[in-house]
Amino acid sequence: MPNVVASTLGFGRKHDATVDIPLDNMNDSRKKEKELSTWEADLDRRERDIKRREAAVAGAGVPVDDKNWPPFFPLIHHDIANEIPVHAQRLQYFAFASWLGIVLCLVFNVIAVTICWIRGGGVKIFFLAIIYALMGVPLSYVLWYRPLYRAVRTDSALKFGWFFLFYLIHIGFCILAAIAPPIVFQGRSLTGILAAIDVFSDHVMVGIFYLLGFGLFCLESLLSLWVLQKVYAYFRGNK
């Protein structure tokens, strides 16, 4: 019986077929596993290096900021709730309102001056109003709002000093804009009280727009003076 089984299955014969195990495939698999392990280790090393650099940058007081405001078209980094100390958040929000206020003033100034230009006020005042807005909005953010944001965030005396210097210039501009003396500014390019009185004699509607602009600059001046006082008190209190 064993001979029959061996004869049927082909076992025990001289020229039986053999099964070869592909050693090359096994070597390739081990090589690929080794390469994958090396690649993963390299990724881990790079990730640790990036985290180490970010920690070093943060420790040096140089924040890594991503643009997140305004939400519909991010242009600047702004996150008072998560980055500003709780006891200073109210002050920072008022300072932010002051920055938004000067943006509103300059934009409304362009609108009022444009109406005046259409009614025959001359194209020169329109271009000057555009220049005020295009320069005033980014410079106010770079020169005094961002320094204050970082000063409160990192408690930097140097940044506080930078803020005080340019915020005083900002307040001076708001007061002059609310007056709009023709000696300093070209005619009706700013919606101050003198310009409003001047345009009332020609066009009542334009005069109303100029009076609204005058009111905005007055409110911005008062808010800015209040913010300056509060920031100075905060600065002295922390020192």
Side-chain angles (χ1 to χ4, degrees):
M1 187 67 177
N3 292 333
V4 175
V5 174
S7 176
T8 305
L9 298 178
F11 293 133
R13 296 190 178 182
K14 183 177 181 180
H15 301 288
D16 289 343
T18 58
V19 179
D20 295 327
I21 299 176
L23 296 178
D24 291 340
N25 291 342
M26 293 180 62
N27 291 333
D28 291 340
S29 298
R30 291 176 181 175
K31 185 177 180 180
K32 289 180 180 179
E33 290 178 359
K34 186 177 180 180
E35 290 175 353
L36 182 60
S37 301
T38 303
W39 181 66
E40 290 177 349
D42 185 64
L43 283 181
D44 292 338
R45 180 184 59 79
R46 292 183 181 181
E47 184 177 299
R48 288 194 301 268
D49 186 61
I50 291 174
K51 289 182 178 179
R52 179 182 59 80
R53 291 182 181 180
E54 289 178 349
V57 170
V62 182
V64 180
D65 297 336
D66 57 327
K67 297 176 181 179
N68 61 353
W69 194 91
F72 56 87
F73 189 72
L75 294 173
I76 63 173
H77 176 80
H78 195 258
D79 193 3
I80 294 177
N82 294 320
E83 294 179 343
I84 302 301
V86 176
H87 63 280
Q89 288 184 4
R90 182 172 179 269
L91 173 61
Q92 191 65 46
Y93 277 119
F94 275 109
F96 185 53
S98 175
W99 180 68
L100 292 179
I102 190 61
V103 173
L104 175 62
C105 288
L106 292 175
V107 171
F108 186 84
N109 184 75
V110 171
I111 296 173
V113 173
T114 301
I115 296 174
C116 182
W117 166 48
I118 293 173
R119 292 301 182 98
V123 70
K124 187 175 182 180
I125 61 173
F126 169 75
F127 283 115
L128 286 173
I130 293 293
I131 291 173
Y132 299 153
L134 291 180
M135 292 185 62
V137 172
L139 287 180
S140 60
Y141 173 77
V142 172
L143 294 179
W144 60 262
Y145 181 73
R146 186 172 64 181
L148 176 63
Y149 186 92
R150 292 181 174 177
V152 177
R153 179 179 174 181
T154 62
D155 197 22
S156 170
L158 179 62
K159 290 184 174 62
F160 271 111
W162 188 271
F163 161 77
F164 288 129
L165 173 63
F166 286 100
Y167 201 61
L168 286 172
I169 297 175
H170 156 75
I171 293 175
F173 170 79
C174 291
I175 294 174
L176 284 175
I179 301 172
I183 299 174
V184 181
F185 301 105
Q186 176 65 33
R188 305 168 178 178
S189 61
L190 283 171
T191 56
I193 184 64
L194 296 181
I197 295 173
D198 185 30
V199 299
F200 250 113
S201 59
D202 298 330
H203 303 285
V204 176
M205 185 186 74
V206 178
I208 293 174
F209 272 90
Y210 271 62
L211 281 179
L212 290 175
F214 161 70
L216 289 176
F217 277 117
C218 287
L219 291 176
E220 175 64 17
S221 300
L222 293 174
L223 176 60
S224 299
L225 288 170
W226 185 86
V227 169
L228 178 65
Q229 178 188 2
K230 293 300 181 181
V231 172
Y232 182 72
Y234 176 84
F235 174 71
R236 291 296 300 270
N238 277 5
K239 303 304 172 188

